Amino acid sequence: HLNYLVIDYLEQEEMWMLLKKAALCIMTPISDGTPNSALEAMSANCPLILSNLDYDKDLFENTCLQLNTFDLNEFNHSIESALSNYDPSRLTTAFETVKQLGNRSVEMEKLAEIYASL
């Protein structure tokens, strides 16, 4: 009984509008680099479920739901739980965390300082 939408491509403004209105963002890749879509969901105060990959704990611990396995039953339970009982403090923590640690301009400035010190 879920309503869902699969979209191949969005302009940046459209993506932000959808994330802000979404009840849930789910990212379940089997391999991934930096999960930019997760950071964007966190910035939009959108509940988030991540797969069980070894993501950066500084960014994702206590900020979203993270699967322990690739088991379909766990996945289904996590979706149901997120849609009915997502802890609002996770949204607050996620937003503050991504603002502090996921800001590209801030992180690039830190990298520039490291390069300059070499």
Side-chain angles (χ1 to χ4, degrees):
H1 304 297
L2 296 176
N3 292 322
Y4 61 91
L5 177 63
V6 176
I7 301 171
D8 290 334
Y9 177 81
L10 289 172
E11 295 291 336
Q12 191 72 31
E13 286 181 26
E14 295 170 311
M15 184 208 56
W16 281 108
M17 179 195 69
L18 286 176
L19 276 176
K20 287 196 165 284
K21 292 181 176 185
L24 181 62
C25 179
I26 302 170
M27 283 188 46
T28 57
I30 57 171
S31 67
D32 201 7
T34 301
N36 292 322
S37 298
L39 300 177
E40 291 163 342
M42 292 164 64
S43 294
N45 286 305
C46 181
L48 173 64
I49 296 175
L50 290 178
S51 67
N52 66 330
L53 299 180
D54 188 23
Y55 290 115
D56 185 345
K57 290 188 185 340
D58 289 342
L59 284 170
F60 299 110
E61 191 168 68
N62 299 316
T63 61
C64 61
L65 297 178
Q66 190 164 7
L67 300 172
N68 295 308
T69 68
F70 286 109
D71 178 71
L72 185 57
N73 290 325
E74 180 192 9
F75 181 62
N76 289 341
H77 175 73
S78 294
I79 292 172
E80 290 173 359
S81 177
L83 290 174
S84 64
N85 195 26
Y86 199 85
D87 183 355
S89 70
R90 283 187 192 272
L91 294 175
T92 303
T93 302
F95 182 80
E96 292 303 319
T97 299
V98 78
K99 187 167 73 171
Q100 180 184 20
L101 301 175
N103 184 309
R104 182 177 182 173
S105 298
V106 170
E107 297 307 310
M108 291 299 107
E109 186 63 36
K110 288 178 188 177
L111 185 59
E113 289 174 14
I114 291 170
Y115 286 158
S117 72
L118 298 175

